[in-house]
Amino acid sequence: MFSGRYIAPPVERVWIDKEDGSQRPIGKPTFEDKIVQRAVAMLLGAVYEQDFYNFSHGFRPNRNAHQALQLLKEQCVKMKVGWIVDADVSGFFDNLDHGLLREILQRRVNDGGVTRFIGKWLNAGVLEDGALKHTDKGTPQGGVISPMLSNIFLHHVLDDWFVRVVKPRLKGKCFLIRFADDFVVGCTREEDARWVLAALKERFESFKLAIHPEKTRLVRFRKPSPQAGNGSGDGTFDFLGFTHYWSRSRLGYWVIKRKTAKKRLRRTMKSLWQWCRLNRHEQLKVQYSLLCSKLRGHFQYYGVRFNYRLLDRVFNHVKIAWRFWLKRRCHKDNTTWDKFNRLLKVFPLPRPRIVHNI
């Protein structure tokens, strides 16, 4: 890097399956490339962290998804929003235009060395099935520099535009919560929400991006009247793996609750079942240790208030899957439920628990 002889190697691309049957590309940069990208990302962070807004939480120091969820709930209750714009950008990381990204970077970064490094990574190409491909758009997911570049791009395209242009034109109150390329907009008035939805489509089209026509929707998310029944309020939306909805608390008050989104829950249960099937011949200690790690990781993220029932559902699913595939290790295995319950006393799985009081 110091002598100017650094050459960015192409990024190996692999494909992972998504819930809807499609596939998502993931880049696998080399170890040395990760070190270089981390150095540049730290430098860009020192420049841009003072510009980023507080409602942006993705891939930033001392910020996480649960803080974004807490801020979302506080803003909904404080502003008494009635409408949520649940937006989704179609293939953001795959369609990010290199030329527009360079123009945005040059507004704050005038160091030619840094911009050359970024240009080398953008133009390095991807290696797929032994064939090298070069494109003029997209930044590979999995690269260390990609989250920082996405935050810089969306800060200009969305965050700064929302604060300086959108909010002054609205009649009511509104807010924006963003985590990487996932974001929601809350409005108190329906006409404001519909105007924001139309403006978002035009804004992203001007930067060669598109708002997904099917996944983007306008949700009526209003607190039900005091005379409403004991059921749930109208309108739900998904954000950061949780479904948000109005419902009554044990004391009878209307509160915003969260539960694991159906797609995330289905994906988790399917992956745990497949893992038990593929690792059924491993030693019990090995299986137990890894299953505990998986369960703790799930509880650590989804362990929020009002979500205990779905946590317990995952816990029971793991017990059923583990016993089912232990019984099929050989045709002579007779792992009955009584025998399996005795096994759980020796290898107790971690129980569900609420980790985040938000």
Side-chain angles (χ1 to χ4, degrees):
M1 292 177 66
F2 184 77
S3 62
R5 295 178 297 171
Y6 170 78
I7 298 177
V11 178
E12 182 183 357
R13 172 181 286 178
V14 295
W15 295 85
I16 60 175
D17 296 329
K18 297 176 65 175
E19 298 153 354
D20 56 0
S22 60
Q23 291 184 318
R24 172 180 297 170
I26 296 294
K28 296 169 59 179
T30 62
F31 177 73
E32 293 80 1
D33 212 28
K34 290 181 180 180
I35 297 176
V36 180
Q37 291 186 18
R38 174 57 62 190
V40 176
M42 293 171 63
L43 181 60
L44 292 176
V47 175
Y48 280 97
E49 274 298 324
Q50 57 187 338
D51 297 341
F52 291 158
Y53 292 99
N54 290 330
F55 54 74
S56 172
H57 291 80
F59 307 108
R60 295 182 58 191
N62 301 321
R63 293 175 182 269
N64 55 49
H66 295 96
Q67 292 175 345
L69 293 171
Q70 177 67 18
L71 182 61
L72 173 61
K73 179 182 178 181
E74 292 176 355
Q75 296 285 55
C76 287
V77 175
K78 180 181 177 181
M79 296 186 182
K80 299 180 180 179
V81 300
W83 299 87
I84 293 291
V85 179
D86 183 12
D88 182 86
V89 184
S90 298
F92 171 75
F93 288 94
D94 300 330
N95 298 307
L96 193 150
D97 187 82
H98 293 174
L100 294 173
L101 177 60
R102 290 193 184 95
E103 292 180 7
I104 295 173
L105 282 169
Q106 289 174 358
R107 299 182 181 186
R108 293 285 281 117
V109 179
N110 57 8
D111 189 320
V114 175
T115 56
R116 281 195 298 272
F117 285 131
I118 296 175
K120 289 180 179 180
W121 293 319
L122 295 177
N123 297 323
V126 294
L127 193 63
E128 185 176 0
D129 296 330
L132 181 62
K133 301 178 182 179
H134 294 276
T135 60
D136 58 352
K137 61 180 182 180
T139 174
Q141 298 186 60
V144 180
I145 197 66
S146 294
M148 175 57 68
L149 295 180
S150 66
N151 273 336
I152 294 173
F153 192 85
L154 288 174
H155 170 76
H156 174 77
V157 175
L158 179 63
D159 300 353
D160 198 54
W161 168 77
F162 182 82
V163 172
R164 297 179 181 272
V165 178
V166 175
K167 292 185 70 174
R169 297 187 179 184
L170 301 182
K171 297 180 180 179
K173 296 180 180 179
C174 67
F175 68 84
L176 168 68
I177 305 293
R178 183 176 68 83
F179 191 92
D181 60 328
D182 295 331
F183 65 93
V184 293
V185 179
C187 300
T188 56
R189 301 169 65 96
E190 182 180 359
E191 56 268 30
D192 289 343
R194 295 191 180 278
W195 184 86
V196 168
L197 181 58
L200 280 172
K201 295 179 180 179
E202 295 181 1
R203 177 67 174 178
F204 278 88
E205 286 177 358
S206 64
F207 286 88
K208 301 181 181 181
L209 293 171
I211 298 294
H212 200 290
E214 298 179 358
K215 296 182 180 180
T216 301
R217 60 195 183 102
L218 184 62
V219 181
R220 187 179 186 273
F221 194 71
R222 193 181 304 276
K223 180 181 178 180
S225 62
Q227 292 78 21
N230 294 325
S232 299
D234 56 353
T236 65
F237 66 94
D238 293 346
F239 183 59
L240 297 181
F242 291 92
T243 298
H244 303 254
Y245 62 101
W246 282 98
S247 183
R248 287 192 181 274
S249 66
R250 290 184 177 180
L251 299 179
Y253 299 105
W254 284 103
V255 296
I256 297 177
K257 294 184 179 181
R258 305 178 185 88
K259 62 181 179 180
T260 309
K262 290 183 179 179
K263 290 183 178 180
R264 295 290 185 93
L265 181 64
R266 186 166 54 247
R267 183 179 66 183
T268 299
M269 295 174 69
K270 180 180 178 181
S271 64
L272 288 171
W273 184 274
Q274 292 293 336
W275 187 92
C276 291
R277 181 178 70 88
L278 296 175
N279 295 272
R280 62 186 183 272
H281 295 296
E282 295 286 346
Q283 295 182 1
L284 280 179
K285 291 183 178 180
V286 176
Q287 294 186 47
Y288 170 73
S289 177
L290 293 176
L291 275 177
C292 288
S293 298
K294 292 179 179 295
L295 280 175
R296 291 193 191 99
H298 182 81
F299 299 154
Q300 185 68 33
Y301 184 79
Y302 292 101
V304 300
R305 294 177 63 188
F306 309 115
N307 195 35
Y308 185 87
R309 183 176 61 86
L310 293 185
L311 297 181
D312 191 58
R313 184 176 173 182
V314 173
F315 174 77
N316 291 324
H317 177 78
V318 168
K319 292 198 300 183
I320 294 173
W322 198 19
R323 182 252 174 186
F324 181 89
W325 289 111
L326 284 179
K327 187 177 180 179
R328 280 154 180 78
R329 290 197 295 183
C330 69
H331 66 282
K332 297 181 180 180
D333 198 318
N334 60 345
T335 306
T336 61
W337 273 110
D338 291 337
K339 183 178 180 180
F340 182 72
N341 288 329
R342 292 195 298 270
L343 175 68
L344 291 180
K345 293 181 180 180
V346 181
F347 299 106
L349 294 172
R351 298 287 305 181
R353 65 190 187 98
I354 302 301
V355 181
H356 307 280
N357 186 23
I358 59 174

